[in-house]
Amino acid sequence: MATNNALFFEGQSVTRPLMFNGANFISWRDKMKIFLQSIDIDLWYIVNEGPFEASIIDDHTNRRREKTRNELTPQDKANLTLNAKAMNVLYNALDANESTRVKGCSSAKEIWDKLKEIHEGSDDIREQKK
């Protein structure tokens, strides 16, 4: 007769991202999307759409330029921090081999897109498979 302890298995942590070691990317990708959204929905937007850019129209040149540090509002700083938070989550979810593959990426979206290309193929290859 089985004891009650034998009927249950340990689940994944809700406070730590699921570690990715290069196997079963599709499952990890889907779980990571939900994990990021559970922390802050804006983290997922940063990963999926790209980082926030704090820019303004320059009065002298009439062209868009990046805000200087002194021009940033508290909300700008909070939004800019989201990319670092998303990158931190992604890097902490990758084993050493996968982390090396995305080394040098400057945004969470770049990390995400590179992992997708490595494990799913390029957009053209994915479209051909459909």
Side-chain angles (χ1 to χ4, degrees):
M1 182 172 164
T3 65
N4 284 343
N5 291 341
L7 300 176
F8 299 98
F9 300 97
E10 187 173 332
Q12 301 299 320
S13 171
V14 295
T15 59
R16 289 184 313 197
L18 181 63
M19 183 62 67
F20 181 58
N21 65 2
N24 202 359
F25 177 74
I26 302 297
S27 177
W28 177 84
R29 179 199 67 195
D30 294 344
K31 289 175 183 177
M32 183 54 64
K33 176 182 175 182
I34 294 166
F35 183 81
L36 287 161
Q37 290 173 340
S38 75
I39 296 170
D40 184 335
I41 193 70
D42 286 329
L43 288 182
W44 172 244
Y45 295 139
I46 294 295
V47 168
N48 194 47
E49 298 170 9
F52 171 80
E53 295 178 6
S55 61
I56 58 174
I57 302 292
D58 189 294
D59 292 335
H60 302 294
T61 63
N62 212 23
R63 292 186 180 186
R64 184 162 296 282
R65 66 167 176 80
E66 189 174 323
K67 287 182 178 181
T68 65
R69 183 177 180 180
N70 292 334
E71 293 172 323
L72 293 173
T73 66
Q75 186 61 50
D76 289 336
K77 291 177 183 178
N79 289 338
L80 289 167
T81 301
L82 289 173
N83 184 59
K85 287 181 180 180
M87 289 179 71
N88 185 43
V89 171
L90 291 174
Y91 272 122
N92 281 296
L94 301 176
D95 72 3
N97 185 49
E98 293 300 316
S99 186
T100 300
R101 292 175 141 185
V102 296
K103 186 177 180 181
C105 290
S106 60
S107 72
K109 178 171 179 42
E110 192 177 346
I111 293 169
W112 190 258
D113 289 348
K114 190 160 195 170
L115 288 169
K116 282 175 51 177
E117 185 173 334
I118 291 167
H119 296 285
E120 294 180 339
S122 67
D123 289 341
D124 292 338
I125 291 171
R126 284 194 302 275
E127 198 59 38
Q128 289 173 2
K129 286 181 180 179
K130 288 180 183 177

